Amino acid sequence: MIEVCGDAEAALRDLRDGATVLVGGFGEAGLPFGLLDGLLRCDAAGLTVVSNNAGNGHSGLAAVLATGRVRKIICSYPRQVDSWVFDRLYREGKIELELVPQGNLAERIRAAGAGIGGFYTPTGVGTPLAAGKEVRNIAGRDYILELPIHGDVALIRADTADEAGNLTYRKTARNFGPIMATAAKVTVAEVNRVVPAGAIDPENVVTPGIFVNRVVLAVGTAKAGSARSGSRETTR
Amino acid sequence: MIEVCGDAEAALRDLRDGATVLVGGFGEAGLPFGLLDGLLRCDAAGLTVVSNNAGNGHSGLAAVLATGRVRKIICSYPRQVDSWVFDRLYREGKIELELVPQGNLAERIRAAGAGIGGFYTPTGVGTPLAAGKEVRNIAGRDYILELPIHGDVALIRADTADEAGNLTYRKTARNFGPIMATAAKVTVAEVNRVVPAGAIDPENVVTPGIFVNRVVLAVGTAKAGSARSGSRETTR
Amino acid sequence: MAKLVARDIPGGSYVNLGIGQPTLVADYLPSDKHVVLHTENGMLGMGPQAQGDDIDPDLTNAGKLPVTELPGAAYFHHADSFAMMRGGHLDVCVMGAFQVSTAGDLANWHTGDPDAIPAVGGAMDLAVGAKTVYVMMTLFDKDGTPKLVPKCTYPLTGLACVSRVYTDLAVFRLEDDQVYVTETFGTTVDELASRLRVPVLAGPSPA
Amino acid sequence: MAKLVARDIPGGSYVNLGIGQPTLVADYLPSDKHVVLHTENGMLGMGPQAQGDDIDPDLTNAGKLPVTELPGAAYFHHADSFAMMRGGHLDVCVMGAFQVSTAGDLANWHTGDPDAIPAVGGAMDLAVGAKTVYVMMTLFDKDGTPKLVPKCTYPLTGLACVSRVYTDLAVFRLEDDQVYVTETFGTTVDELASRLRVPVLAGPSPA
């Protein structure tokens, strides 16, 4: 059972100061623009944001960073051609950056959702990003220990939700959505449509409803093609 | 690109003495009966089999065990009401058993496919199955270290393969198939049909073709409903 | 007993019912309670046991019995299924037991008999993974020995994981190493106290 | 350079082409070579860059450029995509580089400039994960400093991972701490030897 929220503010109502917010998306594909707009209208400050990138242009995640309410960002690729907002905050020392190789970032999020206490990864061994991390040789190869990244809230973009909360995604907009949905206390999905339970073939469900708490319909924006106007289809 | 083999023997041609064989299935759902029949006609001995169960009745995995060519089995639930073959071999000391909690078994197989050197799991802490394993407290909770299980060959049961090797499964017969496919040097899938590349919606692929080397069509058997007569559909 | 467990499962919960007696709980869960059943062999939204033409060998529960799927079901592979359990996403798991200790330790996979062939399945994963673990068992075994014990003597499945024990004679809540009797059936708290080797308190009924 | 890399990629390979110059390799891979392209943001079977009406913001490559899907494509999430890389399932990865050492160490994510904003993306995962790593780069930087070096001075991406280096002046194969020149373009092995600070050997061309 999921709650279909009327707007992003309702979906984000329990966001607290100091919360860790997992934000889906890779560049703009899979970025939950509507939820990020809602976040602009929340008061919560001192946030930690976990997302692959650190925003670009002046909308979406960049607009959230611009409010100054994000204390720290954990990501793999903050620097983009138009990551002006992050670049400025970083150079001014106004935002903390934890840089994580993309696959370690994904696996740390998955580990949180899967109840894994930590894992040994070969990625980053011998590089500056392994500084301070435990190194262990297993079966002749060196690995570093990485720990899970848990979220208080996950904000993701999906395609279709059914009323049981099952989700499907569109193409490479899937990216971090399915793993972030498993790793947060509350998962909110911005979707193009809500259909009755049973309307998604059980074989094709990507995120089972157990990982989803709330959905909001996407509002059309000029920026993202995936943010087409949503519709709530007739339910049984 | 996959190789569509004419029969199970062709698909198993490089099975060597001492190999580790991952066998999909949970009970009879997802058990690759045709490939196991083919295994009966191979010479390879001293095998290690990794499978959730240790066979039941006198066909499938039980028949393979009965040949005496399996040295060791790694599984979570060997004892079933009709696991006569395994029970006898075990009591006679003719087969070694490594008992692994089902979720640790699944995660160890996934870890092998994902290049993870080891992981900390809470499952089994304080139990006899943690004997000899490293215990570590992380963020206030005890975990044990588990290592990956790699296979030389994976024998799995799927529903549809396309010519790019992408697989779909049927219902709970999916079980260990997708993770075993990632964890072996050679993965062979027994399928109900082979369709042209593009005939499976890319959103609905469960196992991407990169993990599949060979497919064989299932031959109808009286035992398993999933083992309906296979058909090779016209290819483009 | 199954009826009482079903009564106490909160509406909207995600629940795993263990092999054997716990599967009977499903019969007492009305559909308007919106409880979603998980089976560890890769499914959420499991329906009742399959009969006749509905039997599909590719659709079984953890006990390998044919079952059905309900609208809103989802299939997933074993690593995802156990990630779901281990990650603490299931609200309730109901299992049988050989012994439960006052600390909530669970022993339900092995009697310690050296001749027995061991088999653990998903029991250890469920014990550590579900947010709450309910046990269903007889309170005494055939020779009258209590199964609610100060300390388990059988090999453990999990530590401090059981929060409620449903038996033929009473329902117990385990909390902070205390045993509260919340309901009795044809017996009294005093009588139970005299037959068990653990201290029991008359306590509030489960929420 | 892209043409040479394409020539040397074995038929039927699963290949990841890094951001920038390596993406050009795709233009020289004939479809009958059956090379399947992986993009780490969750796709196998990636097609050419999308044009006009085919542009879909939900379908991009690792460089965030719109691309297309080919028949037989598959989508998956980020943990699965990087499991595929880290698990050694990709045959070839082609990346750019700031420096490559004779031992095959790769430096391509950071120049060490303390004012630069660091960004690593999937480079470290590709370096350790792919079965073979090819580098495409100019052999000398703008001020004439060699980029094929005895030891990287820039921050490392991965250790001993590069097996071939394609440059504007020559193709190198790295093996057992030796550098073999397999092809030259408008120069000679002797001339290269005099301009580089690493010993080079005239070697067999790549298989």
Side-chain angles (χ1 to χ4, degrees), chain B:
Chain B
M1 293 290 288
I2 47 160
E3 182 191 352
V4 180
C5 297
D7 55 33
E9 288 94 320
L12 298 168
R13 62 184 178 266
D14 44 18
L15 193 67
R16 297 280 173 267
D17 286 356
T20 296
V21 185
L22 313 180
V23 180
F26 182 88
E28 297 194 351
L31 205 65
F33 279 97
L35 290 169
L36 291 170
D37 280 353
L39 224 162
L40 288 178
R41 295 186 291 274
C42 291
D43 295 328
L47 302 175
T48 295
V49 166
V50 181
S51 197
N52 188 64
N53 305 106
N56 60 326
H58 288 290
S59 66
L61 190 50
V64 172
L65 298 190
T67 64
R69 289 193 267 109
V70 178
R71 185 184 67 77
K72 177 180 178 180
I73 187 156
I74 302 177
C75 74
S76 88
Y77 209 80
R79 191 189 59 212
Q80 298 185 81
V81 284
D82 55 351
S83 56
W84 313 300
V85 174
F86 171 79
D87 295 1
R88 175 178 58 76
L89 291 169
Y90 182 77
R91 291 193 197 285
E92 290 175 355
K94 289 184 177 160
I95 193 163
E96 185 186 339
L97 169 66
E98 179 179 344
L99 192 69
V100 183
Q102 201 168 137
N104 288 355
L105 182 66
E107 191 71 9
R108 289 174 66 186
I109 294 165
R110 180 200 176 265
I116 297 296
F119 59 90
Y120 289 101
T121 171
T123 303
V125 168
T127 77
L129 297 189
K133 295 182 193 285
E134 175 187 317
V135 179
R136 180 170 188 147
N137 191 287
I138 301 173
R141 190 174 189 190
D142 281 343
Y143 296 86
I144 55 174
L145 177 65
E146 290 282 2
L147 300 179
I149 298 175
H150 293 269
D152 293 297
V153 180
L155 307 181
I156 65 170
R157 186 69 166 87
D159 185 37
T160 300
D162 73 12
E163 293 187 325
N166 295 307
L167 301 179
T168 64
Y169 297 81
R170 274 199 83 236
K171 304 185 183 286
T172 58
R174 186 184 300 198
N175 57 66
F176 283 89
I179 49 174
M180 286 182 170
T182 71
K185 290 181 199 131
V186 175
T187 291
V188 187
E190 183 176 338
V191 300
N192 290 321
R193 66 194 72 81
V194 178
V195 299
I200 300 176
D201 183 339
E203 301 285 1
N204 301 340
V205 169
V206 177
T207 292
I210 193 172
F211 298 120
V212 180
N213 303 93
R214 300 171 195 162
V215 300
V216 287
L217 287 170
V219 182
T221 75
K223 283 226 74 152
S226 66
R228 277 172 297 279
S229 294
S231 65
R232 180 153 185 203
E233 299 188 1
T234 312
T235 58
R236 305 191 272 202

Side-chain angles (χ1 to χ4, degrees), chain D residues 40-57:
Chain D
E40 59 259 43
N41 51 321
M43 183 188 197
L44 275 167
M46 181 176 67
Q49 252 190 253
Q51 308 289 347
D53 285 350
D54 283 344
I55 290 175
D56 180 339

